[in-house]
Amino acid sequence: TYTAIYADSGHGKTTSMIMFAGNLIMNGYNVYWSDHEGAKKHVIQPLYEYVQEKLPVPEYIQDVMKRFYITDDTYDIVDIKRTARMLNSNGNLDAVFVDYIQNVDNGIYTQDTDIVKNTSKELNKLKSELDCVVVVGSQVTLKGADRRSGWALFPSDNDWRDSGQIKQDADYILSVFRPSKIEGLLEQDEQTGQVYSKDSNGNRIHKNSVFMRPVKVRGVHKFKQEHLVHNYYGLDFNVG
């Protein structure tokens, strides 16, 4: 499958991808992560903490982490494909993660739209060629100021420019939103001083709430959303 996760900066795109990658390696799958944000250590450490928290037997964490391979020097789509094929030939590839797609270089195209279009096409072909999962992160490319305010800033299809090819290629598209990043969606209790985020109905919720909305599932548009909380070890489903 090909999954695209998009969000505004700081809303939880990479954190969501880390959660998915962690669940894969804990279930015996091998993950290749191509980092394009220059933050390799900000992927490995949160992933380690997430896996350590979730593993039934934490002592196995070193063995589990061996299933995760990350690069921060595979700048071009050609490099990503070469690395994926190398790992696959050694029997060490089940999933390819790219964070994020707008930062992938392309030696042929110079326009952003063409670069993203070609990269998505190539990753979709790689998915079929290697029979692997592909997960890409993508930035929302329409400025928040142009999308009103409050919960209207939860990214939708219309906020995602240069994404036509991704929408065509992806089997799943997820939109991620963190209310605490939006002015007007934080509230402090006058008596306790505790800070809360606010849901779409104005109700108080955990300050570190993150919402994930499936926009597309195999061609069908979906809008039911999941409520997660960003704990000290990463994202987890809200149980309160």
Side-chain angles (χ1 to χ4, degrees):
T1 58
Y2 178 160
T3 298
I5 301 173
Y6 68 101
D8 281 300
S9 179
H11 277 249
K13 166 182 56 65
T14 300
T15 308
S16 300
M17 294 173 67
I18 288 171
M19 180 182 70
F20 291 138
N23 288 331
L24 284 172
I25 63 175
M26 283 189 290
N27 282 283
Y29 297 102
N30 296 291
V31 171
Y32 162 42
W33 184 297
S34 181
D35 175 64
H36 296 266
E37 294 205 280
K40 187 175 176 179
K41 66 179 180 180
H42 298 303
V43 174
I44 296 174
Q45 186 61 34
L47 177 67
Y48 186 96
E49 292 172 357
Y50 180 81
V51 171
Q52 188 175 45
E53 174 69 24
K54 292 294 185 178
L55 269 181
V57 185
E59 291 78 9
Y60 292 162
I61 190 167
Q62 298 301 334
D63 291 332
V64 171
M65 289 298 293
K66 288 177 182 177
R67 302 185 189 122
F68 184 75
Y69 183 83
I70 184 170
T71 61
D72 58 1
D73 57 358
T74 48
Y75 307 112
D76 193 288
I77 183 61
V78 175
D79 298 327
I80 295 172
K81 290 165 61 179
R82 183 185 301 116
T83 303
R85 287 169 178 149
M86 179 270 293
L87 292 169
N88 185 68
S89 67
N90 295 330
N92 296 320
L93 182 77
D94 297 296
V96 176
F97 282 61
V98 178
D99 187 24
Y100 55 92
I101 194 169
Q102 282 87 355
N103 279 357
V104 176
D105 290 336
N106 191 297
I108 302 174
Y109 303 98
T110 57
Q111 298 296 318
D112 290 345
T113 302
D114 294 330
I115 292 173
V116 172
K117 181 178 180 179
N118 177 257
T119 301
S120 183
K121 279 185 175 181
E122 291 300 317
L123 289 171
N124 197 34
K125 288 191 288 186
L126 188 69
K127 175 198 74 173
S128 300
E129 175 191 339
L130 303 183
D131 190 24
C132 66
V133 169
V134 168
V135 179
V136 302
S138 177
Q139 289 279 23
V140 172
T141 49
L142 187 63
K143 291 181 180 179
D146 299 326
R147 304 194 331 256
R148 294 174 292 178
S149 61
W151 271 79
L153 288 169
F154 202 134
S156 68
D157 272 359
N158 296 329
D159 306 322
W160 199 19
R161 288 177 182 163
D162 306 329
S163 62
Q165 191 65 46
I166 302 176
K167 293 173 185 175
Q168 179 177 322
D169 293 333
D171 300 297
Y172 300 95
I173 298 176
L174 304 175
S175 173
V176 178
F177 181 68
R178 191 187 297 254
S180 63
K181 293 290 182 179
I182 305 301
E183 185 177 356
L185 294 184
L186 278 177
E187 183 174 277
Q188 186 174 29
D189 188 285
E190 293 182 358
Q191 294 183 337
T192 66
Q194 186 169 349
V195 178
Y196 298 88
S197 291
K198 292 194 286 187
D199 66 14
S200 57
N201 295 316
N203 300 314
R204 289 178 174 179
I205 53 177
H206 195 289
K207 177 186 175 183
N208 296 327
S209 291
V210 176
F211 290 83
M212 185 178 296
R213 178 180 294 170
V215 178
K216 171 189 171 185
V217 179
R218 294 190 182 278
V220 178
H221 281 72
K222 302 280 187 177
F223 298 101
K224 182 181 178 181
Q225 62 195 23
E226 295 287 354
H227 182 185
L228 302 99
V229 172
H230 193 175
N231 295 308
Y232 68 94
Y233 58 83
L235 283 179
D236 206 349
F237 288 94
N238 180 49
V239 293

